[in-house]
Each structure stands twice: as structure tokens, then as C-alpha cells.
Amino acid sequence: KAGVTQTPRYLIKTRGQQVTLSCSPISGHRSVSWYQQTPGQGLQFLFEYFSETQRNKGNFPGRFSGRQFSNSRSEMNVSTLELGDSALYLCASSLDSGTGAKNIQYFGAGTRLSVL
Amino acid sequence: KNQVEQSPQSLIILEGKNCTLQCNYTVSPFSNLRWYKQDTGRGPVSLTIMTFSENTKSNGRYTATLDADTKQSSLHITASQLSDSASYICVVTAGNTGKLIFGQGTTLQVKP
């Protein structure tokens, strides 16, 4: 069974541009969550999508948005990029929504975004 | 304020030795606690998940303990291997909101 696939692996953008990251979950998983990871802040939750609906949202500005398609694939978009958006963006998929103990999340390898 | 503190921040041990990583939290109410292993350049991989009623859970050479009264957890690695070199992240789920609170992680380096 294929794991969680994130594309692209690496991305370089300049300030003010926008970027779209893609995540293909494990087959059969309906929940996709996005996280930002930086050396200073560690892992931070961005949002979760389940059956094409945003279920939960972290404390990020509206420049960060996402969507989920009917095949459970998800995209994350960041508009008007800032230097501080440089980070590893991780996607995780799970069978169900939420953070209950039985709902294990499986992470992709991430997209490393550098904003110059 | 809900917080998760991990210690030490980094650790170097020799191959074959045991080590213990600590996680203290102030999250209340508590739902569950997870330990993840993250290799360099990879996403985190779940090692253990424990609920309030569980005080020990093992996954191979990894054993996690939980003391919900003192709000402490530890991850014990037995007979370390070079492949154990990674960051270990403790994550606590808040019981009322389902929100995940992440620790900053402990970076473990195992030397031959």
C-alpha cells in the first residue's frame, strides 16, 4: 500500500508569490491534516479536511488555505508569501477525522518551502 | 496554558546503551499522548499512543510510560541502534477540543 505522497519535495519562491502544495493520502483514508514545522516553533497544526470539508483549523492567517477533493487528495495554498513562511510543510492522512487515540495519522515526507 | 515540555533538548549516547526521554505536560483535560519518531528529511512516524487509563505501551525496543497524575511521560529506548538517531516528539491531545499540543522534540544521536 502506498504511503502519503507530497509534491513537490522542494520549492523555492520569492516574497509576495503564492504557492500550492499537494498531498495524496493513503488509499481509503478520508482525513488529511496539514502541519507547518520550523526549527523555532516546532510542529504547528494548520487545518484538517475530512470528506471535502474543513473540520478543524489552527491559528494561522487567512493567507493559508486548503481544500480537499472527492478522491481525498488535498492541496494547501499560501498566498502573498513572507520570509517567515519558510518551513517544512507536512501532510498526514488518517481513516477518520479527529485526534482520538484510535485514529493514527500517517505523515508524508513533507514539502520544504524556502521563501527568498 | 496548555503546554508540552520535553527534555533533554538533545542527547548523545553510544550504540547499545539505553536512554530515557522525558515529556511533561500541563494539558487539561487530557485525551491521549503520542510519541513520534522523525528521521532527518522524513515525516514523523507514530511510535505509541496512550490514553488516560494506560500507563505503559511498548513498540519493539521503545517503551512509553504515562503518569496521568503527575502529567509526565517518558520514552525508554533499549539497546540503542544507529538507526535510532532522530528527533522524538511528544504530542498531547486536549480532551475538550481535540487540539494537538506539540513538544519541541528531543534530538537523539547514537554514535558507534
Side-chain angles (χ1 to χ4, degrees):
Chain A
K1 205 175 200 180
V4 178
T5 304
Q6 291 189 245
T7 56
R9 287 296 311 277
Y10 303 93
L11 207 47
I12 299 175
K13 292 285 187 179
T14 56
R15 277 184 302 173
Q17 286 187 310
Q18 75 162 22
V19 67
T20 299
L21 312 182
S22 179
C23 173
S24 293
I26 292 172
S27 177
H29 285 192
R30 294 190 296 164
S31 171
V32 173
S33 296
W34 288 90
Y35 298 87
Q36 182 194 67
Q37 188 175 34
T38 59
Q41 298 293 323
L43 268 166
Q44 293 182 282
F45 171 71
L46 280 155
F47 30 66
E48 180 201 7
Y49 285 86
F50 181 80
S51 294
E52 301 178 67
T53 303
Q54 188 180 89
R55 287 293 185 96
N56 288 295
K57 190 176 188 304
N59 297 325
F60 278 81
R63 299 185 297 107
F64 292 82
S65 63
R67 59 178 176 168
Q68 187 180 34
F69 302 96
S70 58
N71 61 358
S72 293
R73 191 177 71 85
S74 177
E75 287 182 347
M76 190 191 90
N77 186 75
V78 188
S79 62
T80 320
L81 283 166
E82 300 177 359
L83 295 179
D85 297 334
S86 294
L88 179 66
Y89 289 89
L90 292 161
C91 157
S93 78
S94 58
L95 278 170
D96 291 315
S97 174
T99 51
K102 294 191 186 307
N103 197 30
I104 298 174
Q105 289 190 323
Y106 296 85
F107 284 82
T111 294
R112 172 78 60 188
L113 172 65
S114 297
V115 182
L116 306 179
Chain B
K1 185 181 176 183
N2 287 332
Q3 284 187 313
V4 175
E5 302 278 347
Q6 290 187 244
S7 62
Q9 192 173 2
S10 61
L11 184 60
I12 301 174
I13 61 172
L14 291 175
E15 188 179 12
K17 297 294 187 184
N18 303 335
C19 69
T20 300
L21 314 181
Q22 289 293 136
C23 173
N24 296 337
Y25 61 94
T26 59
V27 180
S28 184
F30 165 91
S31 175
N32 58 72
L33 184 146
R34 305 163 192 248
W35 282 96
Y36 285 95
K37 177 189 178 191
Q38 185 174 19
D39 293 318
T40 302
R42 301 278 190 100
V45 173
S46 179
L47 292 175
T48 62
I49 303 175
M50 288 183 291
T51 60
F52 184 89
S53 59
E54 297 171 297
N55 54 25
T56 302
K57 189 161 273 191
S58 292
N59 179 354
R61 294 179 297 101
Y62 301 99
T63 299
T65 63
L66 173 65
D67 186 333
D69 291 331
T70 61
K71 294 184 167 54
Q72 295 180 324
S73 176
S74 63
L75 180 69
H76 186 74
I77 304 174
T78 305
S80 61
Q81 299 176 358
L82 298 179
S83 59
D84 293 329
S85 295
S87 287
Y88 292 84
I89 304 169
C90 173
V91 186
V92 178
T93 303
N96 51 350
T97 62
K99 183 181 175 183
L100 297 174
I101 296 96
F102 295 90
Q104 290 283 44
T106 293
T107 300
L108 173 65
Q109 187 177 358
V110 180
K111 290 194 168 184

